[in-house]
Amino acid sequence: HVDYATGSFTFYSDSGAAVLAPISFEKLPSVSEAFDAAALRAAILDSQQHGQKFRAFCERAMQAGVQGYIAYLRGKRVTYFGRQGDQHTEWFPGARPNDA
């Protein structure tokens, strides 16, 4: 779970343990009030197809209004959420079910 509002990551194990770690990048932008799903999808594609660095992805996601996201490794998807409750689910490449 990445939480830009608190500047932290939380990693969860199969056994139920959790490890909290800070996002150590300095001078990240504020999370935009408006959620821009198109800008978020463009940032995601840049990471998937062009190897965008994680810091650049964080900046672009925050500018697109992403307050945080949760990666579901077993579910093969990431759910991004904004400050007003907006959400976008991005399936791992090749994992999207036919009815989603």
Side-chain angles (χ1 to χ4, degrees):
H1 172 223
V2 173
D3 186 342
Y4 292 127
T6 63
S8 65
F9 297 101
T10 305
F11 302 92
Y12 303 95
S13 74
D14 286 341
S15 65
V19 174
L20 184 67
I23 297 174
S24 58
F25 300 134
E26 293 183 17
K27 299 182 182 176
L28 286 173
S30 297
V31 174
S32 295
E33 189 73 26
F35 190 81
D36 184 343
L40 171 60
R41 283 192 296 276
I44 292 166
L45 281 175
D46 247 359
S47 294
Q48 291 174 340
Q49 297 177 355
H50 303 111
Q52 174 178 231
K53 300 288 184 194
F54 184 60
R55 180 190 172 90
F57 174 78
C58 290
E59 290 173 349
R60 290 177 69 185
M62 293 171 78
Q63 290 165 344
V66 174
Q67 181 172 320
Y69 61 91
I70 300 175
Y72 298 96
L73 301 182
R74 288 184 184 162
K76 299 181 180 178
R77 70 192 95 177
V78 180
T79 300
Y80 298 86
F81 47 92
R83 296 168 56 138
Q84 306 297 321
D86 299 284
Q87 295 182 14
H88 169 72
T89 298
E90 185 71 24
W91 292 87
F92 290 11
R96 185 182 185 106
N98 292 334
D99 61 351

